[in-house]
Amino acid sequence: MKKIAIVLAIAASMGASSVYAGFGSLSKMASSLSESVTGVSSSNMDINGFFTQAKATNAMFTQSRTALASLLASKQDSDELKAKQKSLKTTSDPKEQEAIQKQIVALSNTVLEASQKDKEATVAKLSALNAEQKKHLLDSATNFVIASLTARELAVGAKQVSMSLMANPKSLINTGMSLVDAKGVVGDITGIAKNSTMALVEYPKLFKKAGIEFKMPTSSSDKPKVLSDI
């Protein structure tokens, strides 16, 4: 539990706006948080610890998916993702940040869904990546897998956390979250866990077909990568 206390202090000092600071800084935030708390069973975790890890996991998952999407997207969509990323860095308004983040997530989802439908085109695009892009791809995929593995672990205790919140909503006081926000975070984590096949199975298969060697993480406690803009 000492690790969780340290992470909570880090999270408090960083502030909510750090979540929307762009791919690179978001990766650092997600890496520092999840690296400190991964491997901790959610069934033995206090409410603060659960939500600290859940938010970091969700941030890493979203950021790594978007990084993958930027590499697999058409030039137009890739440019749009990069433009929205820059917008996140230049605005300090929380509502505007949230709106832009939702747009990024929606576009990333569209790109990744399309990449799964036309796998031959995706393999061709992967094969054509240069060395720098392949490194970015593998770093992104690494974080994508770690976030998915962590979400699976957290999902085991998600129901217990939800029941605890319903019985005692005041347990959220130290998290700074409302009950609605907390339910949203729990929903995000269970959703990631249920849809982890893309990270754990589908993309590794495509990498292999494209001749890209990917050493897939096997544990949520594996060290995440720090992603830079590309």
Side-chain angles (χ1 to χ4, degrees):
M1 301 306 290
K2 288 183 179 179
K3 287 185 177 181
I4 293 173
I6 293 171
V7 172
L8 286 170
I10 294 172
S13 66
M14 295 177 75
S17 61
S18 298
V19 175
Y20 301 102
F23 293 167
S25 54
L26 180 57
S27 176
K28 291 177 184 177
M29 183 278 293
S31 297
S32 62
L33 292 180
S34 58
E35 186 179 346
S36 299
V37 297
T38 44
V40 180
S41 171
S42 57
S43 62
N44 296 321
M45 190 184 297
D46 63 17
I47 294 296
N48 286 358
F50 177 88
F51 283 108
T52 295
Q53 186 172 354
K55 286 188 285 187
T57 299
N58 191 36
M60 181 186 291
F61 180 81
T62 301
Q63 183 259 353
S64 58
R65 276 175 59 90
T66 303
L68 285 171
S70 69
L71 290 168
L72 297 174
S74 64
K75 186 179 185 306
Q76 180 179 344
D77 286 342
S78 181
D79 288 345
E80 185 176 349
L81 282 170
K82 291 173 183 176
K84 291 184 183 300
Q85 173 194 344
K86 289 180 180 179
S87 295
L88 282 178
K89 294 180 179 180
T90 57
T91 182
S92 58
D93 181 81
K95 289 185 178 180
E96 187 175 349
Q97 290 172 340
E98 183 178 359
I100 295 172
Q101 185 70 12
K102 286 181 178 179
Q103 293 170 6
I104 289 175
V105 170
L107 181 53
S108 297
N109 288 343
T110 298
V111 170
L112 295 181
E113 287 171 7
S115 74
Q116 289 294 305
K117 290 179 180 178
D118 191 347
K119 294 183 178 180
E120 288 187 8
T122 299
V123 170
K125 186 165 289 187
L126 289 170
S127 300
L129 296 177
N130 61 37
E132 181 184 6
Q133 290 172 324
K134 285 181 180 178
K135 182 182 183 304
H136 193 66
L137 173 80
L138 294 175
D139 287 349
S140 302
T142 294
N143 287 6
F144 195 19
V145 170
I146 292 173
S148 296
L149 291 173
T150 306
R152 282 187 167 188
E153 293 179 0
L154 286 170
V156 174
K159 184 176 181 180
Q160 179 183 343
V161 169
S162 295
M163 292 174 64
S164 176
L165 293 179
M166 294 302 293
N168 182 22
K170 290 184 179 180
S171 61
L172 281 172
I173 290 177
N174 292 330
T175 69
M177 301 172 65
S178 68
L179 185 58
V180 172
D181 290 339
K183 287 182 177 179
V185 172
V186 172
D188 288 339
I189 287 299
T190 54
I192 292 172
K194 289 179 180 178
N195 296 287
S196 58
T197 303
M198 184 181 287
L200 303 178
V201 179
E202 298 300 331
Y203 278 110
K205 284 183 178 179
L206 292 175
F207 296 164
K208 186 175 182 179
K209 287 183 179 180
I212 298 174
E213 184 178 352
F214 176 45
K215 187 177 180 181
M216 190 169 75
T218 57
S219 170
S220 63
S221 61
D222 286 354
K223 187 175 181 179
K225 302 292 185 179
V226 175
L227 301 184
S228 57
D229 296 342
I230 190 168

